Amino acid sequence: MLAFLRQQMQDLLTKRAPLKTAVDAAIEAPTRENRNLTDAEQTAFTAAREALQAHDAEVEELQGRITEAEEAEAREARAAEIRAQYANGEGGTGARVTREPMTYERGNGRSYFQDLAKSQLQGDQAALARLQSHEVELRVEMPARERRRAEAAQRELRTIGGLNEQQRESVFERRVNPNRTDGQGGYFVPPLWLIDEYIELPRFGRPFANAMPNFTLPQGTDSINLPKINSGTATGIQTADGQAVTSQDITDTFVTAGVRTIAGQQDVAMQLLDQSPISFDEVTFADLTSDYNLRLDTQLWTGTNANGQVLGVLNVSGPNAITYTDATPTLPELWVPWVQSVSQVSTQRKKPATATFCTPGIWFWASSAIDANSRPLIIPDQGPGDLNPLAISSGLVAEGPVGRLTVGTPVILDGNIPSNLGAGTNETRIVTARTPDLYLWEGSMRTRVLTEVLSGTLQVRFQLYNYVAFMPDRLPKAISIISGTGMIPAAGF
């Protein structure tokens, strides 16, 4: 397996060279000619850069898998060495250990939560022995995991432009706080495959969160502070030889994002853990995780930045505001403010929008619109060429990417965008954004199993929580919000 992964890495590194060449080629002529990029050159440069960034992300992910494989190989070699030392066979040799399975490996029928409850409620020694074995395993796994997370956080910081080394060191504000540190909350660590599942498997309910950069939140961090240029330098024409050169001092400020907690819990009867034919801890964990994803995505839209909430995009001060007022809205009339929302990002942010978000109801209502000849205004991709569509549909789904506007901006559906806004509390919003300018940090998912609080009724309490930080206000003009009476969802949609 390790040889295969290393070969994959060689292949990826070989493929990277032409991608880097394409990025350099896209800006070679403008750089040589000391001019700005044309629209076509900017499009080519953006596409080449995004392809290189996506490729580098694959390299980073594969490097993490190689590191894990190397660590696993080292542990197996050490286990084989120890077994050989204590073997009783002829010549002092014994069976060679090729793999040490984890105590709570996926699919082996053992339930971490059930064992934790049994050991604490019933004094089950076999369950306690499995938990202790699991703890020994994680003494190796967890430091390596946290080391990789810390390294990932530092790598991701390098992708944030405009930070020098000293600023990178001060981005994360840290303090001694038992509620922010692993191992000081009186809980065990669940099997790593349960934790990793919430990150790696696709899940319904967080399309907005998945559309933006998702950085690793390191431990011991209470807030994140990023410097921001408030007013820049200036250049100008020198009126004559020896005359004054234009001079303007740069000023800066900073943007901060507090680390917030999203948590949930579920009480489960011990009988259910004992008698269920399936591992009910997996069911509970998956359901809590699903709701976590929904709550996170909702916070990214509507958080107030008070009472433990993050600052949501709809509460950012100073975005591009577009109003669509219409008692009987139609898609052709909505089309103008919709394209304006895309234009305002490019005009005010000076870089193009990367996505536009709306509720499923708005998109399906728009998909029902037809022209005077009863032809749809939103057509399937690769549809008839004789139509004059306003948008292209790539397939109707409940949430996630569904198509693109004909100006080129992808459309993403998100059912968590509220529909109770405006003076009549019945409006929704369409939001267009340059998502690379919105920064989201997520920590490593944590769980607890509490038995004493419900011991009188033979129940256990499962808790799940995570720390998040969101910074949507670095560049408010990277966000356009369409509001007004025209944004009241049509009946039936």
Side-chain angles (χ1 to χ4, degrees):
M1 173 59 74
L2 190 54
F4 174 72
L5 293 176
R6 286 170 174 164
Q7 183 58 51
Q8 279 191 312
M9 178 62 77
Q10 289 294 332
D11 294 342
L12 282 178
L13 295 176
T14 300
K15 293 176 182 177
R16 188 184 188 279
L19 295 176
K20 180 61 169 63
T21 300
V23 172
D24 295 339
I27 59 172
E28 180 182 359
T31 302
R32 185 177 61 251
E33 298 167 10
N34 195 25
R35 60 175 175 80
N36 293 329
L37 278 68
T38 65
D39 290 344
E41 288 170 338
Q42 180 64 53
T43 299
F45 172 67
T46 301
R49 182 185 59 188
E50 290 177 350
L52 180 59
Q53 290 173 341
H55 188 81
D56 285 344
E58 290 184 45
V59 172
E60 292 289 350
E61 180 183 1
L62 183 57
Q63 182 58 48
R65 293 172 60 192
I66 290 174
T67 300
E68 291 177 357
E70 288 173 341
E71 291 169 352
E73 189 177 80
R75 291 195 305 273
E76 289 165 7
R78 179 59 179 158
E81 181 182 340
I82 294 172
R83 180 176 287 264
Q85 289 176 355
Y86 293 97
N88 295 319
E90 292 185 8
T93 60
R96 179 178 177 82
V97 178
T98 58
R99 184 177 185 275
E100 288 290 331
M102 302 291 283
T103 302
Y104 296 106
E105 197 165 81
R106 182 194 292 269
N108 67 2
R110 293 174 182 158
S111 168
Y112 163 79
F113 289 107
Q114 184 183 48
D115 280 351
L116 192 54
K118 279 185 173 182
S119 67
Q120 296 183 17
L121 281 178
Q122 302 173 355
D124 189 312
Q125 293 303 305
L128 180 60
R130 287 191 291 270
L131 288 170
Q132 291 172 340
S133 176
H134 175 62
E135 183 181 4
V136 171
E137 293 165 354
L138 291 191
R139 285 176 186 169
V140 175
E141 295 291 341
M142 290 307 293
R145 178 185 179 86
E146 291 308 321
R147 184 173 63 253
R148 291 194 297 271
R149 287 185 62 83
E151 291 171 353
Q154 291 302 318
R155 285 197 304 271
E156 289 160 357
L157 274 179
R158 298 188 188 104
T159 68
I160 300 176
L163 297 182
N164 58 38
E165 198 64 33
Q166 183 178 3
Q167 289 170 331
R168 289 195 186 100
E169 289 298 320
S170 61
V171 161
F172 299 108
E173 181 179 341
R174 305 171 188 273
R175 64 184 62 173
V176 177
N177 185 338
N179 294 321
R180 299 286 192 190
T181 305
D182 282 342
Q184 296 184 14
Y187 56 86
F188 288 86
V189 178
L192 295 184
W193 65 266
L194 271 178
I195 296 176
D196 291 340
E197 185 173 84
Y198 109 95
I199 297 174
E200 296 176 359
L201 293 182
R203 288 186 176 88
F204 186 84
R206 47 180 291 164
F208 186 43
N210 292 340
M212 67 186 69
N214 190 314
F215 300 123
T216 301
L217 181 68
Q219 292 182 337
T221 299
D222 274 353
S223 67
I224 300 171
N225 307 297
L226 289 181
K228 176 181 178 181
I229 294 177
N230 202 30
S231 62
T233 57
T235 61
I237 299 297
Q238 188 179 20
T239 56
D241 293 353
Q243 297 301 306
V245 173
T246 301
S247 176
Q248 178 174 297
D249 292 336
I250 191 170
T251 64
D252 65 355
T253 181
F254 69 93
V255 181
T256 185
V259 177
R260 310 303 189 190
T261 306
I262 299 178
Q265 63 186 29
Q266 172 66 50
D267 298 341
V268 179
M270 192 66 203
Q271 291 88 341
L272 182 57
L273 289 175
D274 284 337
Q275 301 299 116
S276 175
I278 63 173
S279 296
F280 200 75
D281 54 318
E282 295 182 36
V283 176
T284 303
F285 192 91
D287 196 60
L288 284 170
T289 300
S290 178
D291 195 71
Y292 162 84
N293 289 331
L294 181 147
R295 302 301 169 189
L296 170 64
D297 200 73
T298 301
Q299 277 284 295
L300 303 187
W301 288 116
T302 62
T304 62
N305 205 29
N307 300 318
Q309 300 185 30
V310 304
L311 175 63
V313 161
L314 295 177
N315 290 316
V316 168
S317 177
N320 306 310
I322 295 115
T323 302
Y324 174 43
T325 303
D326 196 332
T328 56
T330 65
L331 179 57
E333 292 169 347
L334 173 60
W335 178 245
V336 174
W338 205 337
V339 175
Q340 282 178 337
S341 73
V342 178
S343 173
Q344 285 296 304
V345 171
S346 295
T347 302
Q348 302 296 328
R349 170 62 182 89
K350 310 298 192 293
K351 289 187 177 181
T354 56
T356 183
F357 300 84
C358 65
T359 64
I362 290 291
W363 177 257
F364 292 127
W365 164 78
S367 298
S368 71
I370 56 177
D371 65 12
N373 295 315
S374 298
R375 299 178 301 183
L377 295 177
I378 295 180
I379 64 172
D381 203 1
Q382 307 301 323
D386 60 338
L387 302 183
N388 189 25
L390 300 184
I392 306 297
S393 171
S394 59
L396 300 180
V397 295
E399 283 196 317
V402 290
R404 58 182 173 84
L405 303 180
T406 50
V407 294
T409 309
V411 179
I412 299 176
L413 303 191
D414 192 330
N416 297 319
I417 300 175
S419 56
N420 60 348
L421 304 175
T425 64
N426 57 354
E427 296 175 16
T428 185
R429 297 289 184 262
I430 291 177
V431 177
T432 301
R434 179 173 174 80
T435 53
D437 289 335
L438 314 178
Y439 290 172
L440 171 64
W441 286 267
E442 285 188 82
S444 181
M445 189 72 77
R446 293 146 166 91
T447 62
R448 298 201 302 173
V449 176
L450 307 175
T451 56
E452 291 82 359
V453 67
L454 298 170
S455 59
T457 55
L458 202 59
Q459 295 183 87
V460 295
R461 174 167 292 170
F462 296 156
Q463 286 186 341
L464 174 147
Y465 64 103
N466 198 9
Y467 300 129
V468 300
F470 183 45
M471 190 178 288
D473 54 339
R474 292 176 56 251
L475 297 161
K477 295 305 180 182
I479 304 166
S480 292
I481 301 174
I482 306 176
S483 62
T485 56
M487 297 309 301
I488 299 174
F493 291 93

